[in-house]
Amino acid sequence: ETAEIRKYLLGNIQAEDERRKIEERLMFDDDYFEEILMQEEELIQDYVDGHLSAGERRRFEKHFFISEERRHKIKFARALRRYIDKHFKVTAD
């Protein structure tokens, strides 16, 4: 299910009926909706941390950036990553 959600978030589900099924489930299944939100946050963090493949990165930038809310989440995640890197950098002894 996680892989299907990730594909959905990256706009990588080609079949209209599959996308529609996911979107309908989102409207009626609160647990599924929460799972989508968690996967969205993980995907944003993977993008910010540079953990996406080149193909995933292209799909992310093409599909995921279309929402203003998502762009704000990405900006926040980047700022948080910079803050953590600056203030909590772990050094090897």
Side-chain angles (χ1 to χ4, degrees), residues 1 3 5 34-36 41 46 55 61 65 68 73 91:
E1 190 167 90
I5 291 171
E34 289 298 319
E35 181 64 26
I36 291 274
E41 293 300 322
D46 285 347
E61 290 170 348
F65 276 135
E68 184 69 27
K73 286 181 178 183
T91 58

Side-chain angles (χ1 to χ4, degrees), residues 26-89:
L26 276 170
M27 290 189 287
F28 301 108
D29 185 338
D30 290 339
D31 292 334
Y32 191 67
F33 180 75
E34 289 298 319
E35 181 64 26
I36 291 274
L37 292 178
M38 287 185 340
Q39 290 298 319
E40 185 178 89
E41 293 300 322
E42 285 183 27
L43 190 59
I44 290 169
Q45 199 59 53
D46 285 347
Y47 175 79
V48 169
D49 291 342
H51 295 151
L52 298 180
S53 69
E56 287 175 324
R57 187 172 188 83
R58 279 191 303 275
R59 303 273 318 156
F60 182 91
E61 290 170 348
K62 180 180 178 185
H63 182 74
F64 208 79
F65 276 135
I66 61 172
S67 162
E68 184 69 27
E69 178 183 355
R70 287 178 175 169
R71 286 193 297 272
H72 286 293
K73 286 181 178 183
I74 293 163
K75 286 179 186 177
F76 176 78
R78 283 181 174 151
L80 182 60
R81 170 56 58 209
R82 283 192 302 270
Y83 179 83
I84 289 170
D85 288 347
K86 181 178 179 182
H87 296 287
F88 298 99
K89 189 142 187 137

Side-chain angles (χ1 to χ4, degrees), residues 10-24:
L10 289 171
N12 210 14
I13 295 182
Q14 303 303 317
E16 181 66 33
D17 59 324
E18 286 182 52
R19 282 195 309 273
R20 187 176 304 120
K21 207 168 20 172
I22 290 170
E23 290 164 356
E24 286 174 1

